[in-house]
Amino acid sequence: MSKKVYTTNKGAPVTNDQASITTGKKEGYTMMEDSHLMEKLAHFGRERIPERVVHAKGAGAHGYFEVTNDLSKYTRADFLSEVGKKTEVLVRFSTVGGERGSADSARDPRGFATKFYTEEGNYDIVGNNIPIFFIRDAIKFPDFIHTQKRHPTTNLPDANMFWDFMSLTPETLHQATFLFTDRGTPQDYRHMDGFSSHTYLWYNEKEEFIWVKYHFKSTVGNETLTADEATKIGGENPNHATEDLYLAIEEGNYPQWDVYVQLMTNDEAKEYKFDPFDVTKVWYHGDYPLIPLGKLVLNRNPVNYFNEIEQAAFAPSNFVPGIGPSPDKLLQGRLFSYEDTQRHRLGPNHHQIPVNRPKNAKINTYQMDGPMNVDDTGENPYPNYYPNTFGGAEPDESFKLPEMEVQAVIDRHTRPTEDVDFVQTGEFYRRVLDDVNKDHLISNILGHICDANENIQYRQCALFYKADPDYGTRIGEGLNLDISKIKELSEMSQEERVKATLK
């Protein structure tokens, strides 16, 4: 049987589907010339209508962010300029993989998206309730999400799809472990922490810059459900978290989070023990402790859910002066994909929908017309081009990002699986989880992976074992697998392991 060549939708052969074209082997800026990446992300963003392709089931509310600690020496962002300054916000919580009718209690990461209506434009932090993510290159995102959705033939969730991808992509192990602890089933949105997950850039008026991660800590605690509790609640009230958020605000029991940041200098980033822009890993708090920044309070429910929450468009590309992106390869793809998906879901003028309009900044753009355009162009609607001599808006270079030197080798830099990819998973299992939480983790995984094929079980158990022998042994024993074979597989390279476990 001849080998089938993977092609683009135009029929051109694909040379590599595991790495975007970037400027470096570890951290790197993604190249717009990567037409395969752009095609893949653009097609993925248009696969489902009208609900969100991910984060379809959600709830949200309005509130404010208040600065409680002056960190303005690190960033020129005006909304962070002084203690006591308040900025109106909109927050949307969500499950990631399920449809709009899925249960709030499903085992799934939770979205934690915040829109800040600043005086310099809208700024979005589009994060999750877990500080890491499954993959570190945007080109893998459509494939990963497909494995979390329904099988294209049976239209059912499929354990083989889920664990086949996980076992073939070892970088997923860290977040997969988080997901199958009770952290994968938060009690509700109020009792849930949030994280930017990605690293971002802060810079000041002197064009000095630093790298930053955001943490949102619930003031009522980060509480979770056991698998049994989540199943029970899902059957009794699949909208329990949506209901809890709405009723708490109606009763004046306003949800609140303390907001912290971790800060790392560029010199430190160059010398850190692992790639600090790899979203599958956390920065150790012992190296970079949490620094207080402010508080987030939700105090107003939407009046019209569709208008204010369902039509809300969040995108990590929405920055304000003083904040910018990092060379995180997953983030680099999201900078394109989220905004592009909103153009498909809500239209090219989605930014004119009231909930998405800047509330505290004036818009001066040369973008006009298009479907559903409702902008008031004022007394002088032209010109719609730049440069011009008719008094049109001018760029202001004083707001530019700092210059940054990049050493570039342009290629699809495939990142090999390294021992460092298993270190944090092992530390999490050994040092963070107590015996009860370990028991829950093992039970939760077994309840899911038991439906996968045996060869996939062996391949995945080898990754568990590589992170921690006790971890892999307990899963293997629960599946009645040969532990000596799991150990042998764990000592192989990923390529050898895949070959040894093919049917």
Side-chain angles (χ1 to χ4, degrees):
M1 183 176 178
S2 61
K3 179 181 176 182
K4 290 189 293 186
V5 177
Y6 184 10
T7 73
T8 68
N9 61 15
K10 309 297 190 302
V14 172
T15 59
N16 185 328
D17 191 54
Q18 293 297 291
S20 306
I21 298 176
T22 59
T23 58
K25 290 188 175 182
K26 290 189 175 180
E27 72 276 4
Y29 292 89
T30 301
M31 306 297 291
M32 286 294 294
E33 72 179 56
D34 191 348
S35 58
H36 174 52
L37 170 66
M38 299 304 170
E39 171 196 299
K40 190 173 181 180
L41 292 177
H43 183 277
F44 174 69
R46 291 162 172 79
E47 285 181 1
R48 289 175 174 83
I49 57 172
E51 70 178 29
R52 289 169 168 86
V53 65
V54 288
H55 300 277
K57 175 72 180 294
H62 303 271
Y64 65 89
F65 170 79
E66 181 178 351
V67 178
T68 58
N69 186 29
D70 185 3
L71 298 180
S72 59
K73 66 180 179 180
Y74 299 112
T75 175
R76 64 179 298 170
D78 182 70
F79 79 103
L80 300 176
S81 61
E82 59 181 320
V83 172
K85 182 155 190 174
K86 291 184 178 181
T87 300
E88 184 180 352
V89 300
L90 172 72
V91 176
R92 184 177 186 269
F93 307 103
S94 56
T95 52
V96 174
E99 300 93 343
R100 281 194 65 187
S102 59
D104 289 348
S105 60
R107 184 170 303 282
D108 204 1
R110 301 299 193 272
F112 194 121
T114 306
K115 184 181 296 292
F116 299 79
Y117 296 99
T118 87
E119 295 167 5
E120 298 175 303
N122 291 351
Y123 171 51
D124 292 353
I125 298 177
V126 188
N128 285 326
N129 70 318
I130 296 176
I132 50 177
F133 198 65
F134 294 93
I135 53 172
R136 54 186 171 225
D137 193 312
I139 204 166
K140 301 178 183 181
F141 188 73
D143 300 295
F144 164 69
I145 294 298
H146 287 161
T147 72
Q148 311 300 295
K149 297 286 188 179
R150 296 174 180 270
H151 191 284
T153 299
T154 67
N155 197 38
L156 295 170
D158 191 280
N160 279 324
M161 290 169 55
F162 186 100
W163 291 107
D164 185 46
F165 182 87
M166 296 286 183
S167 65
L168 294 172
T169 317
E171 69 206 58
T172 61
L173 185 65
H174 197 188
Q175 169 124 342
T177 301
F178 267 83
L179 178 63
F180 280 92
T181 67
D182 291 344
R183 299 186 188 202
T185 48
Q187 178 174 307
D188 51 55
Y189 297 132
R190 290 187 300 120
H191 293 82
M192 184 179 82
D193 293 341
F195 304 88
S196 67
S197 302
H198 293 298
T199 300
Y200 292 95
L201 179 78
W202 271 6
Y203 60 96
N204 60 22
E205 289 86 349
K206 300 176 183 178
E207 298 188 18
E208 300 165 333
F209 68 90
I210 198 165
W211 304 112
V212 60
K213 284 181 179 284
Y214 299 93
H215 299 250
F216 298 77
K217 297 291 186 181
S218 171
T219 59
V220 293
N222 189 53
E223 303 293 339
T224 60
L225 302 170
T226 66
D228 288 343
E229 290 170 337
T231 300
K232 184 174 185 293
I233 290 175
E236 294 176 344
N237 183 1
N239 303 302
H240 82 282
T242 302
E243 181 180 61
D244 175 83
L245 179 68
Y246 184 87
L247 292 179
I249 295 174
E250 284 296 290
E251 295 166 0
N253 184 20
Y254 300 142
Q256 182 171 322
W257 290 261
D258 291 326
V259 185
Y260 300 85
V261 293
Q262 287 177 288
L263 299 176
M264 180 186 291
T265 69
N266 195 43
D267 288 339
E268 290 170 332
K270 292 176 181 178
E271 303 297 328
Y272 201 45
K273 59 194 72 174
F274 56 82
D275 175 11
F277 306 110
D278 180 351
V279 74
T280 68
K281 298 178 178 63
V282 298
W283 295 357
Y284 292 115
H285 287 201
D287 297 334
Y288 299 98
L290 298 184
I291 302 171
L293 175 64
K295 66 179 181 180
L296 176 71
V297 179
L298 300 182
N299 58 9
R300 181 166 61 87
N301 278 316
V303 175
N304 183 311
Y305 176 87
F306 181 82
N307 286 352
E308 300 171 51
I309 306 300
E310 190 61 21
Q311 289 197 114
F314 298 88
S317 53
N318 289 341
F319 294 114
V320 292
I323 305 175
S326 77
D328 174 335
K329 291 185 180 181
L330 179 61
L331 173 62
Q332 288 284 309
R334 290 181 79 201
L335 297 179
F336 162 77
S337 182
Y338 273 60
E339 190 75 12
D340 180 63
T341 303
Q342 305 295 3
R343 295 185 191 101
H344 160 64
R345 190 174 72 89
L346 299 172
N349 286 307
H350 64 273
H351 55 283
Q352 295 181 24
I353 298 172
V355 71
N356 298 321
R357 290 183 66 89
K359 298 185 178 184
N360 299 301
K362 186 173 178 58
I363 301 172
N364 290 305
T365 179
Y366 290 102
Q367 295 176 2
M368 295 183 184
D369 306 331
M372 300 303 293
N373 177 46
V374 295
D375 250 352
D376 179 7
T377 54
E379 296 179 0
N380 186 15
Y382 72 93
N384 62 351
Y385 61 90
Y386 180 84
N388 65 79
T389 57
F390 296 98
E394 295 281 344
D396 186 342
E397 288 194 358
S398 68
F399 292 107
K400 73 181 183 71
L401 273 71
E403 291 183 359
M404 202 170 299
E405 182 179 349
V406 176
Q407 300 296 324
V409 177
I410 297 175
D411 197 0
R412 294 193 184 275
H413 298 286
T414 302
R415 186 87 172 264
T417 299
E418 302 173 302
D419 287 344
V420 70
D421 291 325
F422 300 92
V423 170
Q424 290 195 353
T425 306
E427 291 294 293
F428 178 68
Y429 180 82
R430 289 185 295 272
R431 297 174 57 183
V432 177
L433 300 180
D434 59 22
D435 289 342
V436 171
N437 282 301
K438 286 180 182 177
D439 290 344
H440 290 182
L441 168 66
I442 302 302
S443 175
N444 294 338
I445 291 176
L446 287 173
H448 194 279
I449 200 173
C450 65
D451 292 326
N453 293 341
E454 186 179 85
N455 65 317
I456 294 175
Q457 292 174 347
Y458 268 110
R459 191 188 309 142
Q460 183 64 41
C461 282
L463 302 183
F464 293 139
Y465 193 97
K466 195 169 179 66
D468 185 274
D470 180 69
Y471 189 8
T473 297
R474 292 183 65 179
I475 299 294
E477 289 176 344
L479 295 170
N480 295 314
L481 301 181
D482 183 345
I483 304 304
S484 63
K485 182 177 178 180
I486 291 174
K487 182 176 185 297
E488 180 183 352
L489 288 168
S490 74
E491 295 169 349
M492 297 179 181
S493 69
Q494 177 66 4
E495 292 76 13
E496 293 170 334
R497 188 159 44 244
V498 171
K499 289 180 181 179
T501 53
L502 290 176
K503 275 192 171 181

